[in-house]
Amino acid sequence: MNEILLNVLGCVVTAVVIPLITLLGSKLIKWISSKIDNEKTEKYITEATTIVLDAVKCVFQTYVEALKKEGNFGKDAQLIALNKAKDIVLSQLSEDIKNYIKTNFGDVDTWITTQIEASINTLKTTNSKV
């Protein structure tokens, strides 16, 4: 019975969380776009934000969800998930975008970590209201 309940709960979480991340990402991109005049800047920020959100979704789908179902998602697993998402983001960001981030926000690694954590926090906050 518990296994069935966990499977149902896992399906519900997946059905809610992934679309929610996508929705929040598109709203964030629209908000950023409304604040930016420069087309090149808008392109870089939009692309970087999309890459971060996609990485968060990917790690959640393939790693976090499985560990949560098993009840094994502790501090060490959180750090591994963060590093997996950062690796995905770093591998997909172009050098132009990395240079833009470095010039405008400082350290690229710190910016990526902040964006990942902010995305996760927004997701948690939104899920607690659902």
Side-chain angles (χ1 to χ4, degrees):
M1 184 68 180
N2 284 339
E3 187 176 321
I4 293 171
L5 183 59
L6 284 175
N7 286 337
V8 169
L9 185 58
C11 290
V12 169
V13 167
T14 300
V16 172
V17 171
I18 299 299
L20 194 55
I21 291 173
T22 302
L23 176 66
L24 293 172
S26 63
K27 287 188 181 261
L28 177 62
I29 289 169
K30 284 180 186 176
W31 179 79
I32 289 170
S33 295
S34 72
K35 303 295 179 192
I36 299 172
D37 294 329
N38 185 323
E39 286 181 29
K40 191 176 203 178
T41 299
E42 182 178 338
K43 178 183 173 231
Y44 287 162
I45 291 295
T46 299
E47 189 172 333
T49 303
T50 300
I51 289 169
V52 169
L53 291 169
D54 287 348
V56 169
K57 288 189 281 189
C58 178
V59 171
F60 177 81
Q61 183 72 27
T62 61
Y63 179 73
V64 173
E65 187 177 77
L67 289 177
K68 282 188 174 184
K69 279 183 184 177
E70 298 170 2
N72 294 329
F73 191 69
K75 290 280 185 195
D76 291 338
Q78 289 174 3
L79 183 58
I80 291 169
L82 174 62
N83 287 326
K84 284 178 178 280
K86 282 169 55 173
D87 289 344
I88 292 169
V89 173
L90 283 169
S91 72
Q92 293 182 8
L93 287 179
S94 69
E95 287 304 315
D96 287 342
I97 294 174
K98 289 177 187 176
N99 289 333
Y100 174 82
I101 291 168
K102 187 182 289 186
T103 301
N104 292 281
F105 299 101
D107 183 62
V108 175
D109 192 62
T110 302
W111 184 87
I112 292 169
T113 301
T114 302
Q115 296 307 307
I116 290 169
E117 294 291 347
S119 297
I120 293 168
N121 182 273
T122 301
L123 176 65
K124 285 181 181 178
T125 303
T126 305
N127 272 346
S128 68
K129 294 178 184 176
V130 173

